[in-house]
Amino acid sequence: MRVLSIIRDCLDALLHPSARYDALTRARHRAFMAPRLLGSLAAFAAFPVYLAMRGAPTAIEVAAFAWLIAPILLSWFLSRTGRYEGAHVLSSLALAGLVMTVAMTTGGIESFAAIWLVVVPLEAALSASRRVVAFALALALACTALLIVFGLFDLLPASDASTAARGIFMACGVASATLYAAGLAFGAESLARTSVSLLYVEEDRYRLLARNMSDVISRHRRDGAVQFISPAAETMLATQVTRLLGHGLFDRVHVADRPAYLSALSDAARGGEARSVEFRLRRDAPRGGERGQNRQGDFIWVEMRCRPLEQASDAAASLEAEVVAVMRDVTDRKRQEQALDLARTAAEQADASKTRFLATMSHELRTPLNAIIGFSEMIVQEDALMLDAARRREYAQLINDSGQHLLSVVNGILDMSKMESGNFEIAPEPFAPRAALINCCNLLALKARENGIDLVTHAPEDLPVMNGDPRAFKQIVLNLVSNAIKFTERGGTVTVSAAAEGARLVLRVTDNGVGIAADDLKRIGDPFFQAGKTYQRRHEGTGLGLSIVKSLVALHCGEISVHSRIDEGTTVMVALPLAFSPPVQQPPNNIATLTPVLRSASQDQNQDQNQDQNQDQAHQVKKSA
């Protein structure tokens, strides 16, 4: 074994660099060089023995021995150039030339050496080239024809060997040719075994890649039908590979993404260039899932890169264009993109809120400050202006009113900032909501009379005691009622009602004022947002009233809804739990869900009908304020 290893290492050192990186090519070069080098070395070793037994050789015998050394030159040619087919062509010429030389001197076609012409195409078969085999076959037939022709026209020298000697030579020729052919057969079998083992190694390698890659590799027809798909699809889609063949994969593509999916495959097959597309695939629900889970599974985002499959011939490519695709699950990336979009939208809303805040505060802060500064300067200059006591009291009252208004604006901003930062604390305790509601309405009754508005309250005496923050409850009522009075024209009506519905207290504030547009209704409750354009405002305010109400209701785990129509009025409904308990703080969940939800037209129509019914059911119970 050590000798064979040494011989293998020596042969590998003689290989051309182009044959050192492919196992099959390396085996073929080694199989070509090894027998020729060993045969030439054997000829060198046998030549002295032949001389001792034969005596002085003839010119033909010297030429024959010299010809047996030619394989060394062939091995050198292959080692230097790496041209495997060319080396086999030269080897066929050398073997045919040797056979022709011996046969022409030993009887022509009847020579023992003529049988070796059969070996010429057999040796060429090891080249694995049809051109080399065809050349060797033509060469052997030409040599045979020449020997026959030379024999017919008596152009060959007469053989002086006896019949017995010719029989012995013929037996030796057949035996040696048979042994050489057997050696060629074993060499061919060895190369075939090497090729099969390398094929198994490659198959195992590709099978390992296909089974362990997270990406899915598939082969498609131009119409999207799947011919092959790697086992990674079972992990990605939680289904068997056999269910994805044909149009099984297409049936799982989201309906809205199917045109893009088919267009990518068709463009790749027709255009000859790689294409990339993102689409959604339905993933089966895992077995043994939670009860009530969607049996159809959910959708995942997939990125597919497809390119045309290289065909063996142009005719096959024109008949059936196929595409190879690589699919990758990009759901996590889509979630990150959605999170970035949400963050970008939040940043844009924050920037818009800042703009609205500056636009609003420029009016709400300057007006009372100008009044305070102006009237205080007039009081300072009372000697020059000759102000009497009544006028000074009037100016002092205006300064006080402006200061109170400024204080309310600042308090609203501070309360809103506390609620947004989570530092606003509520202190729940049992209290009577009816008394708090009537008290708030009484505080605003004078303002309603001054504006010519009829304030109607409906608070049943059997309202149960509720648990909550009474200060927050009063602030909710005051903000809602004051907003209703502010945006109701003279002669209008504002109705405030409260009722216990199940385990909740439902508070409704209804007016027949200017109403709110549908576009603005979506943004009602955002900080510093006011319906209509800022420069068209006819009423003072910071836009924080309803935002504060919304935050206070959320702190009490309640619900708020607003229904309004232009020039018909607005209804605000607040539902608060009668037995409120502070919820346990949970860590925020920032994971976005990308499961597509398809809504039918009937669902949208039912939702619009429910909104209209809720708006038309406002209570119209009046009580003298």
Side-chain angles (χ1 to χ4, degrees), residues 132-283:
V132 176
V133 173
F135 172 79
L137 177 62
L139 180 61
L141 292 176
C143 292
T144 303
L146 286 176
L147 291 176
I148 294 174
V149 172
F150 289 161
L152 291 176
F153 290 97
D154 294 330
L155 299 176
L156 298 175
S159 177
D160 56 354
S162 61
T163 304
R166 280 187 295 180
I168 294 173
F169 284 144
M170 181 61 69
C172 291
V174 172
S176 61
T178 302
L179 291 176
Y180 190 77
L184 294 177
F186 280 115
E189 189 275 337
S190 177
L191 289 177
R193 187 169 59 249
T194 302
S195 177
V196 171
S197 63
L198 292 176
L199 180 61
Y200 285 157
V201 170
E202 292 295 326
E203 288 182 352
D204 291 340
R205 183 181 304 170
Y206 287 120
R207 189 179 297 110
L208 177 66
L209 291 176
R211 290 182 177 179
N212 294 278
M213 283 181 60
S214 58
D215 295 349
V216 177
I217 303 175
S218 56
R219 181 176 178 179
H220 303 257
R221 292 194 183 96
R222 187 172 179 176
D223 59 354
V226 178
Q227 293 182 303
F228 165 80
I229 189 166
S230 62
E234 296 183 355
T235 303
M236 178 182 291
L237 302 178
T239 187
Q240 297 178 356
V241 171
T242 55
R243 300 180 60 184
L244 302 176
L245 299 178
H247 292 283
L249 181 65
F250 174 78
D251 294 338
R252 291 176 174 271
V253 178
H254 195 275
V255 176
D257 299 334
R258 290 180 180 179
Y261 169 78
L262 293 177
S263 298
L265 293 175
S266 178
D267 293 344
R270 183 178 62 252
E273 297 180 358
R275 292 290 186 272
S276 180
V277 64
E278 293 182 355
F279 55 92
R280 287 163 288 184
L281 275 177
R282 188 180 75 250
R283 187 180 189 275

Side-chain angles (χ1 to χ4, degrees), residues 517-571:
D519 294 337
D520 293 337
L521 193 60
K522 300 176 182 178
R523 300 175 58 187
I524 285 295
D526 293 345
F528 306 106
F529 175 78
Q530 293 177 320
K533 297 182 179 179
T534 302
Y535 55 82
Q536 294 177 345
R537 293 185 304 122
R538 295 181 299 171
H539 308 281
E540 64 179 11
T542 61
L544 292 176
L546 197 57
S547 179
I548 293 175
V549 170
K550 183 178 178 181
S551 299
L552 292 175
V553 171
L555 290 175
H556 282 80
C557 300
E559 298 178 359
I560 182 172
S561 60
V562 181
H563 304 285
S564 180
R565 289 184 180 179
I566 293 294
D567 298 330
E568 293 185 10
T570 304
T571 299

